[in-house]
Amino acid sequence: EELVLEASAHLEGPVLLDSGCGEGYYTAGMFRALERAGHRPRAAGIDISKYALRRAAKRLPEGEFAVASACPWRTPRRTC
């Protein structure tokens, strides 16, 4: 929490993007910490689990969540 607040101290409206957000535990935690510090954050998260994203949306109704992968393809020579 302390790192998030320190890194966002100079920002007017911080935006969180959580890749692999799962059930949104850390996304919501960072969002709430920014709110407590007086910011008006926005949050978005992606994950490959529709079930987990449903939980994330309940945990953080202010956020936007989508089923997606940060690593859309894999090849034999390159992995994400």
Side-chain angles (χ1 to χ4, degrees):
E1 184 176 318
E2 189 176 318
L3 284 173
V4 171
L5 297 177
E6 185 179 315
S8 66
H10 67 286
L11 301 174
E12 289 183 30
V15 177
L16 302 171
L17 175 58
D18 191 350
S19 175
C21 66
E23 296 181 1
Y25 179 80
Y26 293 106
T27 312
M30 289 186 289
F31 186 91
R32 300 291 179 228
L34 289 166
E35 280 186 322
R36 286 191 300 274
H39 292 290
R40 295 179 59 174
R42 295 183 327 186
I46 63 170
D47 200 280
I48 59 171
S49 170
K50 188 187 309 184
Y51 170 78
L53 290 171
R54 285 186 191 133
R55 302 278 310 247
K58 287 181 182 177
R59 180 171 275 142
L60 185 64
E62 303 93 327
E64 297 179 41
F65 298 95
V67 176
S69 174
C71 186
W73 69 86
R74 294 177 189 256
T75 62
R77 294 191 322 202
R78 178 179 165 207
T79 60
C80 186

